[in-house]
Amino acid sequence: MNTCRSCGAGDLTVFLSLGKLPLADGLLKPQDLADTEPRYPLDVALCGACSLVQILHTVPAEELFCRDYPYFSSYSDTLLTHSRKNVEHLIASRGLGSQSLVVELASNDGYLLQYFVAAGVPVLGIDPAEGPARVATDRGIPTLCTFFTRELAAQLRSEGKQADVIIGNNVLAHVPDLNGFVAGIATLLKEDGVVVIEAPYVRDLIDHNEFDTIYHEHLCYYSVTSANALFRRHGLTLVDVERLSIHGGSLRLYAQRGVREPSATVRAMLAAEADSGMTRLDYYRGFAARVDGVKRQLGDLTRSLRAQGKRLAGYGAAAKGTILLNYVGMGADVLDFVVDRNVHKQGRFVPGVRLPIRSPEALLSEMPDYVLILPWNFKDEILAQQHTYRERGGQFIVPIPEPVVV
Ligand code: ZN
């Protein structure tokens, strides 16, 4: 990839290279352990024309999402509460009812649409991952198991379907054909409808050393500036924006069709991004050195604990865990195993470092001295769940923004 995924300009400058890493979500089955895993480069660049931060290498989407994709959103209490509140707000603020239509792109297992269904608002989920889409359908949430494209949007519209609300949470980062995707949103949205998109905020990524949120599935990392340019290209106006704490810091972007007046918050955030230099390379220059610092500190800490005879495990076989463990180089010589609440992940192995994934009960039966929290964005939820392990003397390590023992 040598042109921008959004604006097509050839003005891309790499500011971080994480090396060649395995696919973050490609958990291995026991029979996969005999094979060599594919590894792909992770080079992160800034577009000098539209300010979009993006990785250069694209792994084919079919390879990423149509396989046995083990991520089920409903396993996180934090995410469910976050989603329910968002739904309640949208129903009230948009006056949604039995005549409305809410479409969610990347609807997963129906973790969010279930709350609209419960309130009597018609929904349509769209998600290419077969496992989660099947779970959603079984729960009574109409779901199309396919990719959302400009063509699919045109087909739905020709069938008389247009949406009052389109939701896309943590999907915009994953889309290879960004312009086709946003054009499809503009097609599927009613004249006065609203699209609500959540995406990790690149400002939080850079400011808090969240390098492990960079993986092959995440092609783009948004600012208000770069999202604004993308929407405008397709006749959408960014009318409002909120900053959210979820996933280490995210944006919730609201866009509508046509030329409209952006909110004071949109104008203020665009000005703040320009003032702090986020549209220029200097802002991103020191990031690689800080990421290397986290790698060194975490390596030193875990090696010194091992040297004292301590036993270590990991919590949460999330995508960011694959990146962190492989980039820092923490395999079976450092961690005995990783635990995860998701039964679909148990019995499998973390890509690259090949650590076995067990149920969280293993923390109590094995009592490792320290547990490294890999999905640090859910650390409060994990610490609360694991109070028994802590009462018995177990300690946790949070790796990001800097490694600390809690
Ligand atoms: Zn660009």
Side-chain angles (χ1 to χ4, degrees):
M1 193 85 198
N2 45 26
T3 57
C4 174
R5 297 173 186 278
S6 178
C7 75
D11 186 9
L12 295 177
T13 310
V14 172
F15 61 87
L16 175 71
S17 290
L18 290 174
K20 283 189 167 185
L21 295 177
L23 295 179
D25 274 322
L27 298 183
L28 306 174
K29 294 176 185 164
Q31 62 267 34
D32 299 330
L33 295 177
D35 302 331
T36 314
E37 291 161 69
R39 288 173 181 258
Y40 305 93
L42 266 177
D43 298 324
V44 194
L46 174 74
C47 172
C50 76
S51 301
L52 182 63
V53 171
Q54 53 203 286
I55 62 168
L56 299 186
H57 194 89
T58 308
V59 178
E62 292 73 19
E63 227 173 287
L64 293 176
F65 298 112
C66 271
R67 324 161 282 163
D68 191 10
Y69 184 61
Y71 186 76
F72 290 78
S73 301
S74 294
Y75 281 93
S76 164
D77 298 336
T78 309
L79 190 63
L80 289 176
T81 306
H82 173 83
S83 304
R84 184 175 46 74
K85 287 182 183 162
N86 187 20
V87 168
E88 287 166 359
H89 169 73
L90 282 168
I91 289 175
S93 66
R94 305 297 302 176
L96 302 176
S98 59
Q99 303 302 311
S100 312
L101 177 64
V102 173
V103 175
E104 187 184 12
L105 314 177
S107 49
N108 199 268
D109 57 7
Y111 72 103
L112 180 141
L113 289 179
Q114 63 176 330
Y115 300 114
F116 284 110
V117 170
V121 178
V123 301
L124 176 64
I126 300 173
D127 199 302
E130 286 169 21
R134 198 177 321 115
V135 169
T137 306
D138 291 347
R139 291 160 103 180
I141 297 162
T143 303
L144 295 175
C145 185
T146 184
F147 288 97
F148 180 72
T149 58
R150 178 191 315 250
E151 292 74 24
L152 179 65
Q155 185 198 322
L156 290 169
R157 186 171 166 158
S158 73
E159 293 166 4
K161 291 195 179 80
Q162 273 197 294
D164 296 272
V165 175
I166 298 177
I167 296 171
N169 291 341
N170 298 301
V171 59
L172 203 57
H174 297 74
V175 180
D177 178 15
L178 206 48
N179 287 298
F181 191 85
V182 178
I185 288 174
T187 298
L188 189 59
L189 201 60
K190 280 186 189 165
E191 188 65 42
D192 208 33
V194 65
V195 53
V196 188
I197 287 191
E198 288 179 27
Y201 190 17
V202 71
R203 174 167 213 140
D204 291 307
L205 190 169
I206 301 293
D207 290 357
H208 306 132
N209 298 337
E210 298 168 359
F211 68 90
D212 55 347
T213 62
I214 297 167
Y215 41 91
H216 303 96
E217 290 87 336
H218 283 174
L219 304 171
C220 300
Y221 305 82
Y222 290 91
S223 59
V224 181
T225 306
S226 59
N228 188 43
L230 173 63
F231 287 139
R232 284 176 75 140
R233 196 175 304 126
H234 298 284
L236 297 165
T237 300
L238 182 61
V239 290
D240 204 5
V241 60
E242 293 169 49
R243 276 187 88 166
L244 310 171
S245 60
I246 196 157
H247 300 309
S250 295
L251 294 172
R252 183 181 281 157
L253 304 154
Y254 295 83
Q256 292 195 271
R257 286 171 60 181
V259 178
R260 295 169 190 254
E261 189 62 25
S263 71
T265 315
V266 171
R267 293 198 303 271
M269 284 188 74
L270 288 170
E273 288 185 358
D275 287 349
S276 58
M278 286 179 68
T279 53
R280 296 187 303 274
L281 200 58
D282 285 355
Y283 184 82
Y284 305 88
R285 288 266 191 219
F287 185 56
R290 296 203 302 277
V291 169
D292 191 56
V294 173
K295 176 181 186 167
R296 249 180 305 111
Q297 288 174 44
L298 197 56
D300 290 349
L301 173 65
T302 52
R303 266 191 303 274
S304 92
L305 291 172
R306 287 299 275 203
Q308 296 164 37
K310 305 293 186 191
R311 291 171 59 228
L312 280 72
Y315 189 105
K320 55 170 65 65
T322 302
I323 297 302
L324 186 114
L325 294 173
N326 281 282
Y327 175 71
V328 177
M330 287 191 286
D333 52 333
V334 180
L335 303 177
D336 292 347
F337 55 87
V338 171
V339 298
D340 200 290
R341 254 174 115 185
N342 182 340
V343 292
H344 303 277
K345 294 183 177 182
Q346 294 164 10
R348 299 199 184 190
F349 294 81
V350 178
V353 292
R354 305 194 157 194
L355 291 164
I357 302 167
R358 301 175 59 177
S359 123
E361 280 81 63
L363 295 186
L364 294 178
S365 60
E366 304 279 343
M367 277 309 291
D369 300 286
Y370 293 86
V371 174
L372 177 67
I373 296 185
L374 298 166
W376 43 261
N377 48 321
F378 294 123
K379 71 172 189 300
D380 294 338
E381 178 178 336
I382 293 164
L383 291 174
Q385 277 165 19
Q386 296 303 324
H387 61 93
T388 309
Y389 166 75
R390 300 179 82 193
E391 281 160 12
R392 294 182 189 174
Q395 290 185 280
F396 281 94
I397 301 169
V398 181
I400 304 285
E402 284 169 330
V404 287
V405 176
V406 294

